[in-house]
């Protein structure tokens, strides 16, 4: 996958809702600490999930809230997540889907054990949005187009009179990707695609100069992969990705992996080689 992911990635594809489902869950817990005069952390969590479908339109709504006292003074966490996904099946072979998620965290920052902070706090706000279009052009070819934007805001406050510090950080990632899967024949699946991404970060040190310093970078990538099923026992994957970064230039990342199944003993052997950059 290019940057960082030398062993691969976890790709989670949620199912499309087929009928109304509502799930409510919650828990309350405490971690007992046997040390003398130690604080006993208490945590609570509640979540609500609702999905439904009306003919070609489907949706999913989610909300969760979590609180923990933490294991030290000023290490508490308050967090809630809210999300929505809306989709529409244009026909049996194509669909469009949009999603938005919002995460809010208020966190105590206790600092080091030797010099603990009783007042330092951190606030995180993250918004993740995206839209995706899928179409099966034929029995052998399907295309996937998506656009996304992730925005995160992080504020840190430490009003301690001896170690006062205030900072604001804002980062935004915007991008789009086009991916094509082609079942060339019974033993070969080719995947090709291209992606463009732009990153920006704005940092403000309030007590230093109170000026917002902005940094930007862009990344353009193309990739090609062929998955070969050579009989029932042997699978070979060959691929490569080229990334062009605005600050670090061009990087080529090859990848090869093989899987062999001994049907008689049920033993599976795997080997892989890859190159990444960071």
């Amino acid at each position: 996958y290019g940057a960082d992911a030398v062993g691969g990635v976890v790709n989670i594809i949620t199912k499309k809702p087929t009928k109304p489902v509502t799930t409510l869950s919650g828990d309350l817990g405490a971690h007992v600490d046997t040390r003398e005069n130690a604080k006993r952390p208490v945590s609570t969590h509640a979540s609500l999930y609702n999905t439904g479908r009306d003919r070609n339109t489907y949706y999913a709504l989610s909300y969760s809230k979590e609180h923990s006292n933490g294991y030290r003074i000023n290490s508490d966490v308050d967090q809630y997540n809210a999300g929505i996904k809306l989709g529409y099946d244009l026909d049996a072979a194509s669909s469009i889907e949009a999603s938005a998620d919002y995460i809010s965290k208020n966190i105590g920052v206790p600092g080091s054990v030797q010099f603990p902070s009783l007042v330092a706090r951190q606030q995180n706000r993250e918004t993740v949005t995206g839209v995706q279009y899928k179409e099966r052009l034929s029995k052998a070819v399907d295309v996937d187009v998506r656009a996304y934007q992730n925005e995160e805001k992080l504020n840190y406050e430490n009003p301690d009179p001896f170690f006062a510090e205030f900072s604001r950080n804002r980062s935004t990632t915007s991008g789009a990707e086009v991916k094509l899967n082609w079942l060339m024949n019974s033993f070969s699946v080719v995947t090709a695609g291209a992606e463009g991404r732009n990153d920006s970060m704005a940092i403000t040190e309030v007590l230093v100069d109170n000026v917002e310093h902005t940094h930007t970078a862009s990344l353009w990538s193309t990739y090609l992969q062929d998955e070969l099923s050579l009989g029932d026992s042997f699978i070979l994957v060959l691929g490569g990705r080229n990334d062009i970064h605005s600050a670090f230039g061009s990087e080529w990342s090859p990848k090869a992996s093989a899987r062999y199944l001994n049907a008689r003993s049920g033993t599976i052997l795997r080997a892989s080689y890859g190159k990444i950059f960071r």
Side-chain angles (χ1 to χ4, degrees), residues 7 42 64 67 95 103 105 120 125 154 156 170 196 213 224 276:
V42 176
S64 67
H67 170 78
S95 64
I103 303 172
K105 296 181 182 180
R125 304 290 185 265
L154 188 154
Y156 175 76
R170 175 172 48 86
H213 300 273
L224 180 67
I276 63 166

Side-chain angles (χ1 to χ4, degrees), residues 65-83:
K65 184 172 178 59
E66 182 176 356
H67 170 78
S68 174
N69 286 349
Y71 63 97
R72 292 172 53 197
I73 296 177
N74 195 37
S75 65
D76 58 293
V77 177
D78 273 303
Q79 172 179 322
Y80 73 86
N81 305 346

Side-chain angles (χ1 to χ4, degrees), residues 232-234 259-270:
D232 296 333
S233 300
F234 190 67
R259 168 196 175 274
Y260 174 75
L261 168 65
N262 187 320
R264 179 176 298 180
S265 64
T267 303
I268 296 177
L269 302 176
R270 292 186 176 92

